[in-house]
Amino acid sequence: MGVSETNFALNLSYGGKYIQDTGNSTDQLDAFYMQYVCNGIALPIISVLGVIGNILTMMVLWRKEMQSTTILFLCALVVTDTGIIIVACVALTPYSISLFHPELWYYKDVIYPNLYTAVFFLIMSIQQCNVWITVSVSVERYIAICHPFRAQKICTRKKTYITLMVITVISVAYNIPRLFATMARTPCTDPGQEVPADHDCFLLLTTEFGENFFYTKMYSVWMYASIIYIIPLSVLTVLNILIIMELMRMRARRAGMNIQDDQEANLSLVLVLIVVVFILCQTPGLFAQFDFLFNTVTMIKWLAVSNILFVANSSVNFLIYTLVGQKFRRVLLGVLKNLFGRKILSDVSRNSSRQSNGLELNHRQYAPVNSETHVENVEKVRLNE
């Protein structure tokens, strides 16, 4: 299986054999160290920040005041973004680290070969959903901005749900062949490798189906590049140019009438920025599909960069929503106030209750004594004496 099949591609051969095959020159080792730094160190940091941002995004988008057909698409988009982040981190980070840390041999030799086929199918299905949800929300914004009188009939919640369901079903069905392209075999009898007797290992192999011309060239390269990159990026580019032009005309008209931008225009601007970032982060992955453009060392470095950009694309939308989205920012502040405001109020109430209890005790301890009672007690003491 070629390394260009997906921008998530890693060496799939057992035990770092790919490193051995490429030699030990300084450039080649630097390329693998670059992959180690990108996938093993930088990617998990970006993933953690991205998941936190996406969780906050979900908390905002799923509130009642944020409901619309566009928001439904954005909810689906943030779910697939989170799925990409998690699965990519699980697939790339441990394997990249294990290549340079022999103590992680069990993951590299046992877990990864058996996990790869299912994870690869899952990540490719989520990626396809994510791409076409982005296209769908751009189409919805184009209709809402450029054809507002038709939007009410075309852009309905029912049609949005149907669109999301169709995208999901097609994405899963289209990627089913990937489940039959690779398999793990044990024992991993690979010539030239010395495996200790007590060292369990599996060899990740390409099946006969995965080696045929249709799968390796047509399905994995040209169809994949067309469905995931060429067609979506072309459609997104055209639609967003039209949306930007219409937004500029709307702003010019409002400026002449001294009217502020409405919520629809602001939401469309947010979507345009999301798509621009999407195009910039996805384009390197397109070139990675054609391994004849690069030698082995350059391909490894290119994949390391495209992996980071791919995960970053699923992690930065929260920043775009916060910086540009007026309503999103307002609702986010309300959510944070509800979360942290309640905690602060509860802490204050606890402290105040403790202080009030302390005051009661202090008052009891230092309460003034009734003078008559005090005299009687003194007289009793004298009589006893």
Side-chain angles (χ1 to χ4, degrees):
M1 181 179 296
V3 295
S4 65
E5 179 165 354
T6 171
N7 55 343
F8 278 106
L10 283 171
N11 165 46
L12 306 181
S13 56
Y14 163 78
K17 180 175 178 293
Y18 192 49
I19 297 179
Q20 299 172 5
D21 290 344
T22 56
N24 294 312
S25 68
T26 302
D27 291 341
Q28 292 162 343
L29 289 177
D30 286 345
F32 280 102
Y33 276 117
M34 180 177 178
Q35 189 182 72
Y36 171 81
V37 171
C38 290
N39 295 336
I41 299 175
L43 190 144
I45 296 174
I46 295 174
S47 298
V48 170
L49 296 176
V51 169
I52 294 173
N54 287 349
I55 290 173
L56 290 174
T57 301
M58 292 179 192
M59 295 174 66
V60 173
L61 294 182
W62 289 344
R63 292 179 68 88
K64 292 181 179 180
E65 59 265 39
M66 296 293 289
Q67 294 302 312
S68 68
T69 54
T70 302
I71 298 300
L72 289 176
F73 280 119
L74 294 182
C75 289
L77 189 64
V78 72
V79 170
T80 55
D81 279 336
T82 307
I84 286 173
I85 294 171
I86 294 173
V87 179
C89 193
V90 170
L92 296 176
T93 300
Y95 185 84
S96 298
I97 295 175
S98 68
L99 291 178
F100 295 93
H101 292 273
E103 63 272 15
L104 298 177
W105 66 267
Y106 189 81
Y107 180 87
K108 175 170 60 68
D109 299 343
V110 179
I111 297 177
Y112 183 79
N114 287 282
L115 193 67
Y116 173 79
T117 302
V119 169
F120 189 55
F121 164 77
L122 181 61
I123 193 64
M124 299 302 288
S125 299
I126 297 175
Q127 182 191 22
Q128 187 167 332
C129 283
N130 183 270
V131 169
W132 285 99
I133 289 172
T134 305
V135 173
S136 299
V137 73
S138 294
V139 172
E140 195 268 352
R141 280 293 88 198
Y142 167 76
I143 296 173
I145 295 299
C146 300
H147 303 281
F149 297 107
R150 300 180 183 179
Q152 190 172 2
K153 293 183 178 180
I154 299 176
C155 304
T156 63
R157 294 178 66 87
K158 181 179 179 181
K159 291 181 180 179
T160 301
Y161 284 122
I162 293 174
T163 301
L164 292 173
M165 187 179 300
V166 170
I167 289 173
T168 303
V169 171
I170 292 177
S171 298
V172 172
Y174 176 81
N175 287 282
I176 288 177
R178 302 186 190 280
L179 294 172
F180 304 98
T182 55
M183 61 176 293
R185 187 188 69 186
T186 183
C188 48
T189 53
D190 194 14
Q193 287 196 8
E194 296 181 1
V195 180
D198 59 345
H199 189 117
D200 295 331
C201 64
F202 287 80
L203 181 64
L204 184 61
L205 298 176
T206 303
T207 64
E208 183 178 353
F209 171 75
E211 292 179 344
N212 66 52
F213 175 81
F214 172 78
Y215 184 87
T216 57
K217 297 300 180 182
M218 297 299 297
Y219 179 83
S220 297
V221 178
W222 294 107
M223 290 176 64
Y224 175 77
S226 299
I227 292 174
I228 301 299
Y229 294 104
I230 298 174
I231 296 175
L233 294 180
S234 300
V235 173
L236 288 172
T237 301
V238 173
L239 288 177
N240 282 273
I241 288 175
L242 296 174
I243 292 173
I244 291 172
M245 293 173 60
E246 183 61 27
L247 288 177
M248 293 174 64
R249 287 193 290 265
M250 290 171 61
R251 177 162 293 185
R253 290 195 296 267
R254 289 190 173 90
M257 300 186 325
N258 195 24
I259 300 176
Q260 295 181 350
D261 292 342
D262 62 8
Q263 192 62 42
E264 287 292 319
N266 181 255
L267 182 58
S268 298
L269 179 60
V270 172
L271 264 297
V272 168
L273 292 176
I274 289 175
V275 170
V276 169
V277 173
F278 178 86
I279 292 173
L280 293 175
C281 292
Q282 295 283 347
T283 301
L286 171 61
F287 294 101
Q289 306 312 306
F290 307 104
D291 51 3
F292 59 84
L293 297 175
F294 310 95
N295 58 38
T296 302
V297 173
T298 306
M299 174 60 77
I300 295 172
K301 293 180 178 179
W302 190 270
L303 286 172
V305 174
S306 64
N307 288 335
I308 287 292
L309 291 175
F310 192 81
V311 176
N313 177 55
S314 296
S315 305
V316 300
N317 286 347
F318 171 74
L319 298 178
I320 298 175
Y321 291 136
T322 305
L323 295 175
V324 184
Q326 298 172 357
K327 186 175 181 180
F328 182 91
R329 187 165 56 246
R330 185 172 62 253
V331 176
L332 175 63
L333 289 175
V335 171
L336 295 177
K337 286 180 180 179
N338 289 335
L339 287 176
F340 298 104
R342 290 177 181 175
K343 183 177 180 181
I344 293 172
L345 289 174
S346 63
D347 292 340
V348 170
S349 63
R350 286 197 207 98
N351 292 333
S352 61
S353 63
R354 290 173 183 171
Q355 292 175 0
S356 62
N357 292 334
L359 288 173
E360 289 177 3
L361 292 174
N362 291 336
H363 286 195
R364 291 173 184 173
Q365 183 177 357
Y366 298 104
V369 181
N370 185 278
S371 58
E372 295 179 358
T373 305
H374 180 67
V375 171
E376 291 178 1
N377 291 335
V378 171
E379 291 296 331
K380 289 179 181 178
V381 172
R382 288 178 178 175
L383 290 173
N384 292 331
E385 289 176 351

